[in-house]
Amino acid sequence: MPSVDLGFEYRFVPAAGAAAGAPPFLLLHGTGGDEHDLLPLGQALAPGVALLSPRGKVLENGMPRFFRRLAEGVFDLRDLEARTHELADFIKTAREVHGLGDARPIAVGFSNGANIAAALLLLRPEVLGGAVLFRAMVPIEPATQPDLRGVPVFIGAGRRDGIASPGQTETLAALLEGAGAGVEVHWVDAGHGLTATDVAAAKTWLGRSGFVL
Ligand code: MLT
């Protein structure tokens, strides 16, 4: 379905069949990706659920991202904060425009997309019903602790990831757990790239969490 003008380029795929009652998935691509990239992943993780997939609005040497960075792993925190609120507002409007119902979306983010999904959890905890974070870092330390009780989070981490390091994974998991989220960290013997093992583990977790039928 073509997107309407909600301030982001995005793809929306309506729910089909038995998945009509399940929460929609919010797909957030990595640096250099776009709104098309993660649609196959969303379909593999949760066949038939509604998919909302925006394109990040920041360009770094022509590559779309969800917020500015000053260097690898060094984030422009003012931009990150503003972009997180902008994305949260887009999600709210898109839910209304596309009639997505009461269930809050489940974010599925990879790398830069996982980082903005984590920022959504920390700065706008009312927006997401859960999240799958592949290769995420600590995006920001929130000034006030969010209330994430009842929000399940899966973190897919690579033991040899030189960007989202194991230490970053553990700090992020502790931050989310401290805010009340139910966090499961799944380690794979891999680097920053996504593997079939990550996807299979996330799929199992989504089923266990009741997010897919
Ligand atoms: C980021 O900038 O969000 C992370 O370093 C991941 C990346 O996009 O490479």
Side-chain angles (χ1 to χ4, degrees):
M1 185 184 280
S3 54
V4 287
D5 187 7
L6 302 182
F8 278 79
E9 294 294 328
Y10 71 99
R11 287 281 311 273
F12 173 67
V13 180
F25 275 36
L26 172 74
L27 305 177
L28 300 166
H29 64 79
T31 300
D34 66 21
E35 67 275 29
H36 308 289
D37 266 25
L38 296 191
L39 293 175
L41 176 63
Q43 274 145 2
L45 287 173
V49 304
L51 302 175
L52 181 64
S53 184
R55 186 198 307 169
K57 289 166 77 164
V58 169
L59 282 181
E60 183 185 274
N61 301 322
M63 296 187 295
R65 287 175 51 82
F66 286 97
F67 56 85
R68 268 170 42 83
R69 63 180 164 182
L70 307 174
E72 177 70 61
V74 184
F75 302 148
D76 177 337
L77 294 180
R78 279 179 64 163
D79 185 69
L80 185 148
E81 204 168 328
R83 302 270 176 199
T84 302
H85 289 296
E86 185 183 38
L87 182 61
D89 296 342
F90 160 79
I91 296 162
K92 191 165 172 277
T93 313
R95 284 180 65 190
E96 286 163 15
V97 166
H98 293 291
L100 289 178
D102 294 336
R104 292 183 290 170
I106 310 306
V108 175
F110 168 66
S111 189
N112 181 246
N115 292 342
I116 195 132
L120 280 170
L121 290 168
L122 295 168
L123 299 180
R124 294 290 294 268
E126 78 284 7
V127 169
L128 298 175
V132 172
L133 309 176
F134 291 121
R135 309 300 188 267
M137 302 164 66
V138 178
I140 192 165
E141 303 267 356
T144 53
Q145 176 147 290
D147 182 357
L148 290 170
R149 282 173 297 175
V151 179
V153 178
F154 173 97
I155 302 179
R159 279 198 192 87
R160 291 182 282 108
D161 192 336
I163 298 172
S165 66
Q168 281 281 324
T169 301
E170 272 152 21
T171 308
L172 177 62
L175 193 57
L176 295 170
E177 264 164 7
V183 180
E184 179 169 316
V185 180
H186 182 264
W187 294 96
V188 291
D189 188 20
H192 198 63
L194 195 59
T195 69
T197 312
D198 288 294
V199 177
K203 190 166 177 162
T204 303
W205 177 87
L206 284 164
R208 225 177 28 240
S209 306
F211 293 138
V212 292
L213 305 173

